[in-house]
Amino acid sequence: MDEDFDKEFQSAIEAGQSNLRAKALLNNWCKHAEVSRFGGIGMIEASTGLPIGHSGVQCKFSKSNTSHCWLLEDSIYDFYQNNCKNCDKRIPVNFPNILEIITPREKEIEERQRQIDNEIEQRKIRQEERKEERALLRFELSHEESFVLDLLDTLDQDEVKYDDPRLEELANLAPEIFTENIITHLLNSIFTEQLPYSIHAARALLKAALEPNEKLRVALFLLKSSQEGQLIVDVILSNQDRLVGDEFSRVLHRFTSMAVEDHPSIHFGYGKEREINVKPIRQLAELRKEDIESEIDHLIKDNNPHKKQAAVKILLALENDTFFLKYSRSVISTLLRRHRLLPEERKESTVLYYFRKCALQLFKKLPQHTDTLIQEYLADNNDIVRNEAASIYHKVLNSRYLEKSDIGEAHKIAFNRLLWMALNHPEDSMSDAIQFFRYCNEDFQQLAADKFSDLIGAATILSQKYEDLSAKKLIDVPENFYEKLDQQNKKKSVYSLQGFLIKWAALAAKSRGIEGLNEFLTFYRTIPSTQDDMRGNMITHISELLTGIESLQIVLADWYSALMDESALVRARAVEAWANVPYKLIQNFPHLFFEAFSILLMDQYVIVHKAAARILRRRSFPEDKRYLIKDKLLNLILIYAQSGEDGDFLVDCIDVYETLCLSLEEIEGQWGEILSNILLKLEGDALYKATDQLSARFRRAPNFLKVVFKSIQSEYTRGISIDRCLSIILQTSKNELNNGVQEIKNALTSLKPFSSENFIEALVYITVLHKSGKYSEACAHTEELLLSVPVEDRNKQWRLQIELILTALKVEESIHGDRQFSELLEQWHNLLLELEKEHEERTKLSNFSPSIFFKS
């Protein structure tokens, strides 16, 4: 379980309690106010009964609904500001009401606005005072020097851009006018208070004839103001011996920030990341290495997590092996024991982010040393320690940018550690160790080849662990549902991991050619016949060893044997191996193989014939061999249709049969009708699967529309999605719609009384009813739909859309009835204009909550 779950759970509970109170206040405020929900009901809400989730407010007298917010009080404040504040339709209910939410916020906003107004007023007063000071100074300056003051008068405005270049350009073009008087004035203005032109003045002064101390002060001011130009860096480095105490620390941390990437969340939703510049801090380290070391010592020993983070960022920026070696234990111990040393840091905090990056760099630079440290702390046998360690190893092997030539000692160590971590905890399916082996990456085939024996050995050990989990307890203690589910999940995780490791072993064998293939098969032949799971897992991956005709000839004997094995599990896994056969080799398979395969479609064991049928959905038979499976697939369809069991598998069989064994003409003819009638008997998830997954060709089968209408009216389909059913209905031919008119009418009847939730669905039925030629009935249902929409301001757009559709239907009905329709066309045109006007009005309505801009 997520280690941050408790905090998130408590946060959700608090939000639900707040929403419950806000809902009660809203109900007391006005009789017309309603709460609307966005999204479904989560597990916490279902178990507590608290309203947890995004909620909004609506009212029949308002065209605009509020934005849906996590806290209902934010939505209430938004709706009040946009709709309730001056409303004359309000009917009060009781006290207390939403004024308990509104009043404190409005007071806070008013106070904040007063502060802003006061700040603006004081700023304007100071601007006027500075303008007067510059006016007096002009009497002491020459005509040329006064040009600088003229520009300062222009720049001393709130609206000036932070990168305005004019003052700096003037310093470049006429450095002689930046005399001692001007320099003194600018220096005073920079260091006394923050002015609109402070940054511009500092950049200009940096190019003027300043004393070294003054130039350093200016450069430090710019660096502190997030200016990182090369001239600033050069000035600081050339005067680095003058930096002491806090000045040195500030420079060090600014240079560090320039050299280290930001936490990813900082740039989420914004522009591109800033460029990384490591030169300044590397140059500073050459001159002040001892001071930097002293700073790291001080920071990393501090109990403040953010100071520890600062130390780690310096290490990342320097990438110095000596520093890495010295502080490796501090970094690894803090990260792996973060539950004790950093207890307040959540799993995705910035502090942990930089510690993890540093640990990764340590492992890459000093693999043996870092691995030794990690193994020491794994002795704690703590889940957090193990997960963090696995994460380090996993990230080393992250191959997003990895090239084969980059594989070195760190990757070998990490691969080996992850293998045995996965083996020691095979039931933890979400661990980084198991997640790495889940995806077989060819970039690591040499690592796999070197560890072939270990991979196979680990897979063999997992067989025993699987048997231990399957063994019955000596003491017969009744299991409850959750214990049984946990046991099943553990068994599934162990079995899956065994398959992952064998897949890696197959990759290793394949990389070594025929020699590796023979070694893989030799081991397979030595597995005892009682270990069905291990034999089945190995035979499943036998097709992944195929590289050419020679390799095919070598594996065929064992494959034949597995297809006819006495174990049903092995036969099923042997069938599944067909999915990974290279397409180019299929034509080289002997006829005997396809005969053996087709026989398994009639196997008495469910696990076998299901595997054989379903694998044909992933890798089909050659056309000239499909006659071997046609009758057998049809037999499966008839057996499962007659038994009424496992409708899900029945759909799979029909899918394979119509795809591989029937022509389009047969689907559109009698065979399509027979299969549709079989599907019509399905219920629940099988019925949903029939409409969701059967190929596009099958939609043209007679009576399939009836299957779709049965599915769309089932509770199971409606609980998931009816979109695919609606799409099929709209694409159905007119001829098939004529045969399904009664189903269309029944579907429309089942929707009554019409509501906003089924508005689109009702329009689809009306559309296809009209398409089938039932014009009068389509118009009647549309009028009924219009009457079901309340005549309220918020529904005006909705009603106009329905009226527009109704008028269009009447026009077409008149055309087919050879009647006049000019008045209807004029009505349609007027409705269109009115709808466009309504659209324009709605675009002016805000959908953003004031809480986005004013924090409470």
Side-chain angles (χ1 to χ4, degrees):
M1 183 178 289
D2 192 329
E3 64 197 71
D4 293 329
F5 176 77
D6 289 341
K7 294 179 180 178
E8 293 173 357
F9 181 86
Q10 185 59 35
S11 176
I13 294 295
E14 291 172 0
Q17 292 170 341
S18 171
N19 292 342
L20 191 64
R21 173 179 174 272
K23 185 177 180 181
L25 295 176
L26 182 67
N27 292 337
N28 288 342
W29 170 250
C30 177
K31 182 179 179 180
H32 303 302
E34 304 169 3
V35 175
S36 61
R37 288 294 302 269
F38 178 80
I41 296 176
M43 289 194 299
I44 302 178
E45 181 173 1
S47 61
T48 62
L50 294 172
I52 300 171
H54 289 77
S55 304
V57 183
Q58 62 186 13
C59 168
K60 67 179 182 179
F61 296 108
S62 171
K63 292 182 180 179
S64 65
N65 294 333
T66 182
S67 55
H68 289 81
C69 302
W70 177 248
L71 294 178
L72 179 58
E73 61 182 43
D74 290 337
S75 297
I76 290 174
Y77 181 72
D78 171 31
F79 195 79
Y80 173 83
Q81 293 293 329
N82 293 327
N83 302 281
C84 293
K85 201 165 189 177
N86 300 308
C87 178
D88 58 358
K89 304 287 196 306
R90 178 183 167 227
I91 301 178
V93 178
N94 205 343
F95 288 100
N97 56 39
I98 63 172
L99 289 179
E100 291 197 0
I101 296 172
I102 305 301
T103 304
R105 293 196 179 202
E106 290 197 327
K107 287 182 178 179
E108 186 176 345
I109 292 171
E110 288 173 3
E111 179 60 30
R112 176 58 182 156
Q113 191 60 51
R114 278 196 296 270
Q115 293 176 3
I116 293 172
D117 294 340
N118 184 55
E119 290 172 3
I120 294 173
E121 183 180 355
Q122 292 300 318
R123 197 158 55 241
K124 289 187 180 296
I125 291 172
R126 283 295 298 135
Q127 287 171 351
E128 288 299 322
E129 290 175 351
R130 290 194 297 270
K131 192 171 183 180
E132 291 175 3
E133 291 171 7
R134 287 192 291 270
L136 292 173
L137 183 61
R138 290 176 188 274
F139 294 108
E140 304 175 16
L141 302 179
S142 65
H143 178 67
E144 290 78 10
E145 290 173 317
S146 64
F147 290 159
V148 178
L149 298 186
D150 293 339
L151 185 53
L152 292 182
D153 286 342
T154 303
L155 293 175
D156 197 3
Q157 304 292 330
D158 294 339
E159 297 79 13
V160 66
K161 294 182 179 180
Y162 77 95
D163 59 348
D164 191 300
R166 285 176 288 179
L167 192 58
E168 194 173 358
E169 289 175 354
L170 183 59
N172 290 333
L173 295 173
E176 69 279 358
I177 67 175
F178 282 76
T179 61
E180 185 175 349
N181 288 331
I182 294 296
I183 290 173
T184 302
H185 175 74
L186 291 178
L187 285 173
N188 289 335
S189 65
I190 290 173
F191 297 118
T192 55
E193 60 180 310
Q194 186 70 32
L195 306 178
Y197 59 83
S198 293
I199 302 296
H200 312 85
R203 287 205 301 254
L205 282 175
L206 208 58
K207 299 183 179 181
L210 296 178
E211 292 294 327
N213 282 336
E214 291 177 339
K215 185 164 284 193
L216 178 60
R217 285 183 67 201
V218 173
L220 291 174
F221 169 80
L222 287 169
L223 192 70
K224 183 181 177 182
S225 303
S226 301
Q227 302 293 304
E228 300 174 353
Q230 187 59 45
L231 181 57
I232 301 170
V233 172
D234 291 342
V235 169
I236 292 173
L237 289 175
S238 62
N239 294 278
Q240 53 78 28
D241 55 320
R242 302 173 188 268
L243 297 172
V244 293
D246 291 341
E247 286 183 349
F248 177 77
S249 295
R250 281 197 295 269
V251 169
L252 176 61
H253 294 304
R254 284 303 305 164
F255 282 3
T256 298
S257 297
M258 294 164 61
V260 178
E261 293 179 350
D262 293 325
H263 189 278
S265 63
I266 293 177
H267 298 283
F268 181 76
Y270 294 93
K272 63 179 181 180
E273 299 179 5
R274 60 180 175 80
E275 294 182 2
I276 301 301
N277 184 6
V278 299
K279 290 182 180 180
I281 194 169
R282 303 284 172 85
Q283 292 173 357
L284 185 65
E286 293 175 2
L287 303 168
R288 304 284 294 269
K289 183 177 181 181
E290 292 181 359
D291 293 325
I292 292 177
E293 187 173 355
S294 176
E295 181 75 5
I296 296 173
D297 278 335
H298 168 71
L299 292 170
I300 207 160
K301 293 175 183 177
D302 199 291
N303 291 329
N304 187 322
H306 294 285
K307 290 188 176 181
K308 291 180 180 291
Q309 172 186 304
V312 167
K313 289 178 72 173
I314 295 172
L315 291 174
L316 284 170
L318 292 174
E319 284 195 1
N320 182 285
D321 289 355
T322 303
F323 283 174
F324 273 155
L325 183 60
K326 179 177 179 179
Y327 298 105
S328 57
R329 182 173 291 277
S330 295
V331 173
I332 296 299
S333 65
T334 303
L335 178 60
L336 266 59
R337 289 181 171 171
R338 63 181 176 83
H339 56 293
R340 297 177 185 173
L341 302 178
L342 300 171
E344 299 301 318
E345 297 302 311
R346 300 188 69 175
K347 188 171 63 174
E348 300 301 330
S349 76
T350 56
V351 176
L352 295 179
Y353 171 78
Y354 287 110
F355 266 94
R356 287 167 182 149
K357 281 182 69 71
C358 192
L360 180 61
Q361 287 300 102
L362 278 171
F363 197 92
K364 290 179 178 179
K365 293 278 186 178
L366 308 167
Q368 285 285 0
H369 174 73
T370 307
D371 178 59
T372 302
L373 289 175
I374 292 173
Q375 293 305 307
E376 288 180 17
Y377 294 106
L378 279 173
D380 290 358
N381 198 27
N382 179 277
D383 288 343
I384 292 179
V385 176
R386 187 175 68 252
N387 292 338
E388 287 292 347
S391 178
I392 295 171
Y393 293 130
H394 192 186
K395 287 175 181 175
V396 171
L397 293 166
N398 188 338
S399 61
R400 183 168 45 178
Y401 302 113
L402 185 69
E403 297 178 1
K404 294 179 182 179
S405 59
D406 289 334
I407 294 177
E409 184 180 14
H411 302 97
K412 295 176 182 178
I413 294 173
F415 188 92
N416 187 59
R417 293 300 187 192
L418 285 177
L419 174 59
W420 298 112
M421 289 176 81
L423 182 62
N424 290 333
H425 300 276
E427 69 284 347
D428 187 4
S429 61
M430 298 308 295
S431 70
D432 278 294
I434 293 180
Q435 289 301 310
F436 171 74
F437 288 105
R438 182 181 296 274
Y439 305 102
C440 197
N441 193 325
E442 292 189 0
D443 290 342
F444 299 115
Q445 64 180 5
Q446 187 55 50
L447 285 176
D450 294 340
K451 293 291 181 181
F452 175 80
S453 298
D454 288 345
L455 288 165
I456 287 293
T460 305
I461 293 173
L462 289 173
S463 288
Q464 183 59 49
K465 291 195 174 188
Y466 186 83
E467 291 176 6
D468 292 342
L469 286 171
S470 301
K472 292 184 178 180
K473 298 177 182 178
L474 294 176
I475 302 176
D476 189 16
V477 179
E479 290 182 319
N480 62 37
F481 170 77
Y482 294 105
E483 288 177 344
K484 188 174 182 180
L485 181 63
D486 182 59
Q487 189 79 351
Q488 290 175 346
N489 289 337
K490 287 179 179 179
K491 288 172 62 178
K492 182 179 179 181
S493 180
V494 171
Y495 186 74
S496 298
L497 178 59
Q498 184 183 65
F500 301 153
L501 297 183
I502 292 174
K503 187 176 180 70
W504 277 90
L507 173 67
K510 183 179 179 180
S511 69
R512 295 167 54 209
I514 299 301
E515 180 185 354
L517 172 59
N518 284 323
E519 186 175 359
F520 186 92
L521 291 175
T522 299
F523 183 85
Y524 168 74
R525 293 163 189 154
T526 62
I527 301 173
S529 59
T530 56
Q531 294 188 11
D532 293 342
D533 296 312
M534 183 68 179
R535 290 196 300 131
N537 254 326
M538 288 199 73
I539 205 66
T540 299
H541 297 94
I542 198 169
S543 56
E544 295 172 20
L545 302 172
L546 299 176
T547 55
I549 296 177
E550 184 180 2
S551 61
L552 176 61
Q553 293 172 341
I554 294 173
V555 305
L556 273 177
D558 293 285
W559 203 346
Y560 278 137
S561 177
L563 288 170
M564 300 302 167
D565 196 273
E566 62 181 11
S567 167
L569 177 64
V570 175
R571 294 200 301 276
R573 298 296 177 259
V575 166
E576 290 174 0
W578 173 249
N580 296 311
V581 174
Y583 284 106
K584 62 181 180 180
L585 287 180
I586 290 179
Q587 60 183 354
N588 300 113
F589 273 72
H591 182 76
L592 182 61
F593 175 87
F594 295 107
E595 286 187 338
F597 188 105
S598 62
I599 290 173
L600 296 182
L601 286 168
M602 297 303 297
D603 196 287
Q604 62 178 326
Y605 288 95
V606 173
I607 188 177
V608 181
H609 64 246
K610 278 189 176 181
R614 282 175 167 154
I615 210 66
L616 291 174
R617 299 180 70 211
R618 296 169 57 188
R619 185 63 54 90
S620 62
F621 259 36
E623 284 193 46
D624 59 336
K625 305 295 183 184
R626 292 178 185 176
Y627 69 91
L628 294 171
I629 60 174
K630 186 173 183 178
D631 293 340
K632 298 177 178 62
L633 279 172
L634 181 59
N635 190 52
L636 277 177
I637 291 171
L638 296 176
I639 290 173
Y640 274 87
Q642 185 175 6
S643 68
E645 299 177 357
D646 204 342
D648 186 82
F649 177 63
L650 175 59
V651 174
D652 287 336
C653 290
I654 291 177
D655 189 14
V656 173
Y657 186 70
E658 64 92 6
T659 302
L660 300 184
C661 304
L662 295 180
S663 64
L664 185 58
E665 290 75 16
E666 289 175 314
I667 292 174
E668 294 177 352
Q670 185 179 7
W671 275 111
E673 185 175 1
I674 292 172
L675 296 177
S676 293
N677 291 336
I678 292 174
L679 293 173
L680 200 54
K681 299 177 182 178
L682 298 177
E683 303 288 344
D685 60 335
L687 184 61
Y688 171 77
K689 184 175 181 178
T691 53
D692 187 60
Q693 294 186 16
L694 284 177
S695 71
R697 296 197 320 158
F698 200 81
R699 296 177 185 178
R700 302 170 69 173
N703 287 345
F704 186 65
L705 184 63
K706 295 182 179 180
V707 178
V708 175
F709 271 107
K710 181 179 179 181
S711 176
I712 203 172
Q713 292 178 78
S714 72
E715 290 185 9
Y716 185 90
T717 301
R718 302 189 79 82
I720 301 176
S721 173
I722 62 171
D723 291 351
R724 183 63 63 89
C725 291
L726 293 177
S727 175
I728 296 173
I729 291 170
L730 286 171
Q731 295 175 26
T732 303
S733 65
K734 181 177 180 180
N735 183 52
E736 191 63 26
L737 288 173
N738 288 332
N739 296 330
V741 168
Q742 190 57 48
E743 282 73 18
I744 301 173
K745 292 179 180 178
N746 292 342
L748 268 169
T749 302
S750 68
L751 289 183
K752 295 177 182 179
F754 296 125
S755 66
S756 58
E757 287 75 18
N758 56 39
F759 175 63
I760 299 298
E761 185 181 357
L763 285 182
V764 169
Y765 296 154
I766 290 171
T767 300
V768 294
L769 188 64
H770 182 267
K771 183 179 177 180
S772 67
K774 305 298 181 182
Y775 307 113
S776 299
E777 295 182 51
C779 290
H781 284 294
T782 309
E783 288 176 346
E784 191 174 351
L785 180 62
L786 179 60
L787 291 173
S788 69
V789 180
V791 183
E792 300 172 354
D793 290 346
R794 60 178 173 177
N795 298 329
K796 185 175 180 181
Q797 185 181 25
W798 189 9
R799 290 181 60 84
L800 285 172
Q801 289 172 335
I802 300 175
E803 285 187 69
L804 199 64
I805 294 170
L806 177 59
T807 306
L809 293 176
K810 288 180 177 180
V811 169
E812 193 161 349
E813 181 185 11
S814 299
I815 292 173
H816 284 87
D818 198 21
R819 298 191 300 271
Q820 289 293 324
F821 52 86
S822 55
E823 291 184 4
L824 289 171
L825 284 178
E826 184 178 355
Q827 181 183 348
W828 183 86
H829 180 71
N830 292 335
L831 285 170
L832 190 61
L833 293 176
E834 194 173 353
L835 184 60
E836 289 177 355
K837 183 180 178 181
E838 182 68 15
H839 278 312
E840 291 176 1
E841 289 183 10
R842 285 181 177 272
T843 56
K844 300 174 184 177
L845 300 175
S846 171
N847 289 320
F848 295 100
S849 171
S851 62
I852 294 175
F853 308 104
F854 300 100
K855 297 294 183 183
S856 60

mmCIF file of all heavy atoms in Angstrom, residues 165-182:
data_model
loop_
_atom_site.group_PDB
_atom_site.id
_atom_site.type_symbol
_atom_site.label_atom_id
_atom_site.label_comp_id
_atom_site.label_asym_id
_atom_site.label_seq_id
_atom_site.Cartn_x
_atom_site.Cartn_y
_atom_site.Cartn_z
ATOM 1 N N PRO A 165 16.049 46.878 -22.253
ATOM 2 C CA PRO A 165 17.492 46.974 -22.510
ATOM 3 C C PRO A 165 18.037 48.402 -22.600
ATOM 4 O O PRO A 165 19.241 48.585 -22.787
ATOM 5 C CB PRO A 165 17.612 46.280 -23.871
ATOM 6 C CG PRO A 165 16.344 46.632 -24.577
ATOM 7 C CD PRO A 165 15.275 46.727 -23.496
ATOM 8 N N ARG A 166 17.182 49.420 -22.480
ATOM 9 C CA ARG A 166 17.613 50.765 -22.845
ATOM 10 C C ARG A 166 18.746 51.300 -21.965
ATOM 11 O O ARG A 166 19.704 51.895 -22.474
ATOM 12 C CB ARG A 166 16.414 51.715 -22.814
ATOM 13 C CG ARG A 166 15.471 51.538 -23.990
ATOM 14 C CD ARG A 166 14.237 52.427 -23.870
ATOM 15 N NE ARG A 166 13.345 51.946 -22.818
ATOM 16 C CZ ARG A 166 12.213 52.557 -22.496
ATOM 17 N NH1 ARG A 166 11.849 53.670 -23.116
ATOM 18 N NH2 ARG A 166 11.438 52.062 -21.537
ATOM 19 N N LEU A 167 18.669 51.099 -20.663
ATOM 20 C CA LEU A 167 19.709 51.624 -19.793
ATOM 21 C C LEU A 167 21.043 50.916 -20.039
ATOM 22 O O LEU A 167 22.112 51.543 -20.064
ATOM 23 C CB LEU A 167 19.288 51.457 -18.330
ATOM 24 C CG LEU A 167 20.125 52.214 -17.293
ATOM 25 C CD1 LEU A 167 20.131 53.704 -17.586
ATOM 26 C CD2 LEU A 167 19.596 51.952 -15.896
ATOM 27 N N GLU A 168 20.980 49.613 -20.259
ATOM 28 C CA GLU A 168 22.195 48.851 -20.540
ATOM 29 C C GLU A 168 22.778 49.240 -21.888
ATOM 30 O O GLU A 168 24.009 49.347 -22.050
ATOM 31 C CB GLU A 168 21.877 47.353 -20.498
ATOM 32 C CG GLU A 168 23.092 46.465 -20.446
ATOM 33 C CD GLU A 168 22.748 45.005 -20.226
ATOM 34 O OE1 GLU A 168 21.554 44.687 -20.083
ATOM 35 O OE2 GLU A 168 23.680 44.193 -20.190
ATOM 36 N N GLU A 169 21.918 49.469 -22.875
ATOM 37 C CA GLU A 169 22.402 49.912 -24.195
ATOM 38 C C GLU A 169 23.054 51.281 -24.115
ATOM 39 O O GLU A 169 24.053 51.556 -24.791
ATOM 40 C CB GLU A 169 21.230 49.927 -25.185
ATOM 41 C CG GLU A 169 20.744 48.555 -25.582
ATOM 42 C CD GLU A 169 19.509 48.605 -26.457
ATOM 43 O OE1 GLU A 169 18.969 49.732 -26.643
ATOM 44 O OE2 GLU A 169 19.083 47.544 -26.947
ATOM 45 N N LEU A 170 22.497 52.156 -23.278
ATOM 46 C CA LEU A 170 23.102 53.483 -23.103
ATOM 47 C C LEU A 170 24.495 53.356 -22.493
ATOM 48 O O LEU A 170 25.417 54.087 -22.880
ATOM 49 C CB LEU A 170 22.197 54.334 -22.204
ATOM 50 C CG LEU A 170 22.645 55.791 -21.978
ATOM 51 C CD1 LEU A 170 22.740 56.543 -23.297
ATOM 52 C CD2 LEU A 170 21.695 56.505 -21.023
ATOM 53 N N ALA A 171 24.663 52.430 -21.556
ATOM 54 C CA ALA A 171 25.992 52.215 -20.958
ATOM 55 C C ALA A 171 26.974 51.682 -21.983
ATOM 56 O O ALA A 171 28.171 51.997 -21.934
ATOM 57 C CB ALA A 171 25.877 51.250 -19.791
ATOM 58 N N ASN A 172 26.486 50.892 -22.940
ATOM 59 C CA ASN A 172 27.365 50.379 -23.996
ATOM 60 C C ASN A 172 27.740 51.470 -25.002
ATOM 61 O O ASN A 172 28.893 51.560 -25.442
ATOM 62 C CB ASN A 172 26.675 49.218 -24.735
ATOM 63 C CG ASN A 172 26.561 47.985 -23.864
ATOM 64 O OD1 ASN A 172 27.358 47.763 -22.960
ATOM 65 N ND2 ASN A 172 25.543 47.161 -24.130
ATOM 66 N N LEU A 173 26.771 52.305 -25.364
ATOM 67 C CA LEU A 173 26.996 53.323 -26.398
ATOM 68 C C LEU A 173 27.751 54.537 -25.864
ATOM 69 O O LEU A 173 28.571 55.137 -26.583
ATOM 70 C CB LEU A 173 25.644 53.757 -26.990
ATOM 71 C CG LEU A 173 24.866 52.689 -27.761
ATOM 72 C CD1 LEU A 173 23.484 53.197 -28.135
ATOM 73 C CD2 LEU A 173 25.640 52.287 -29.019
ATOM 74 N N ALA A 174 27.460 54.925 -24.626
ATOM 75 C CA ALA A 174 28.083 56.149 -24.088
ATOM 76 C C ALA A 174 28.566 55.906 -22.666
ATOM 77 O O ALA A 174 28.020 56.458 -21.687
ATOM 78 C CB ALA A 174 27.091 57.307 -24.133
ATOM 79 N N PRO A 175 29.580 55.071 -22.482
ATOM 80 C CA PRO A 175 30.058 54.791 -21.113
ATOM 81 C C PRO A 175 30.606 56.026 -20.408
ATOM 82 O O PRO A 175 30.631 56.075 -19.179
ATOM 83 C CB PRO A 175 31.150 53.742 -21.341
ATOM 84 C CG PRO A 175 31.577 53.914 -22.750
ATOM 85 C CD PRO A 175 30.361 54.362 -23.504
ATOM 86 N N GLU A 176 31.008 57.040 -21.204
ATOM 87 C CA GLU A 176 31.614 58.226 -20.589
ATOM 88 C C GLU A 176 30.617 59.038 -19.766
ATOM 89 O O GLU A 176 31.019 59.814 -18.875
ATOM 90 C CB GLU A 176 32.256 59.101 -21.655
ATOM 91 C CG GLU A 176 31.293 59.795 -22.614
ATOM 92 C CD GLU A 176 30.808 58.872 -23.744
ATOM 93 O OE1 GLU A 176 31.275 57.708 -23.783
ATOM 94 O OE2 GLU A 176 30.004 59.318 -24.569
ATOM 95 N N ILE A 177 29.305 58.902 -20.053
ATOM 96 C CA ILE A 177 28.345 59.702 -19.290
ATOM 97 C C ILE A 177 27.988 59.054 -17.948
ATOM 98 O O ILE A 177 27.300 59.656 -17.139
ATOM 99 C CB ILE A 177 27.056 59.970 -20.107
ATOM 100 C CG1 ILE A 177 26.276 58.672 -20.348
ATOM 101 C CG2 ILE A 177 27.369 60.671 -21.410
ATOM 102 C CD1 ILE A 177 24.947 58.896 -21.030
ATOM 103 N N PHE A 178 28.481 57.825 -17.730
ATOM 104 C CA PHE A 178 28.301 57.187 -16.439
ATOM 105 C C PHE A 178 29.461 57.594 -15.536
ATOM 106 O O PHE A 178 30.378 56.830 -15.242
ATOM 107 C CB PHE A 178 28.218 55.653 -16.592
ATOM 108 C CG PHE A 178 26.876 55.172 -17.069
ATOM 109 C CD1 PHE A 178 26.517 55.303 -18.402
ATOM 110 C CD2 PHE A 178 25.970 54.632 -16.188
ATOM 111 C CE1 PHE A 178 25.276 54.870 -18.843
ATOM 112 C CE2 PHE A 178 24.723 54.194 -16.624
ATOM 113 C CZ PHE A 178 24.372 54.326 -17.960
ATOM 114 N N THR A 179 29.379 58.849 -15.117
ATOM 115 C CA THR A 179 30.431 59.455 -14.296
ATOM 116 C C THR A 179 30.259 59.045 -12.845
ATOM 117 O O THR A 179 29.326 58.313 -12.477
ATOM 118 C CB THR A 179 30.363 60.974 -14.419
ATOM 119 O OG1 THR A 179 29.084 61.405 -13.937
ATOM 120 C CG2 THR A 179 30.533 61.433 -15.865
ATOM 121 N N GLU A 180 31.147 59.554 -11.998
ATOM 122 C CA GLU A 180 31.106 59.203 -10.578
ATOM 123 C C GLU A 180 29.782 59.606 -9.941
ATOM 124 O O GLU A 180 29.233 58.874 -9.122
ATOM 125 C CB GLU A 180 32.267 59.890 -9.853
ATOM 126 C CG GLU A 180 32.380 59.479 -8.397
ATOM 127 C CD GLU A 180 33.603 60.090 -7.734
ATOM 128 O OE1 GLU A 180 34.453 60.648 -8.442
ATOM 129 O OE2 GLU A 180 33.684 59.989 -6.487
ATOM 130 N N ASN A 181 29.258 60.775 -10.326
ATOM 131 C CA ASN A 181 27.979 61.215 -9.774
ATOM 132 C C ASN A 181 26.846 60.254 -10.144
ATOM 133 O O ASN A 181 25.997 59.903 -9.308
ATOM 134 C CB ASN A 181 27.642 62.627 -10.262
ATOM 135 C CG ASN A 181 28.530 63.680 -9.614
ATOM 136 O OD1 ASN A 181 28.985 63.491 -8.488
ATOM 137 N ND2 ASN A 181 28.778 64.774 -10.324
ATOM 138 N N ILE A 182 26.815 59.882 -11.429
ATOM 139 C CA ILE A 182 25.769 58.955 -11.895
ATOM 140 C C ILE A 182 25.917 57.602 -11.208
ATOM 141 O O ILE A 182 24.935 56.993 -10.752
ATOM 142 C CB ILE A 182 25.824 58.805 -13.430
ATOM 143 C CG1 ILE A 182 25.452 60.114 -14.120
ATOM 144 C CG2 ILE A 182 24.920 57.672 -13.887
ATOM 145 C CD1 ILE A 182 24.028 60.558 -13.864
#
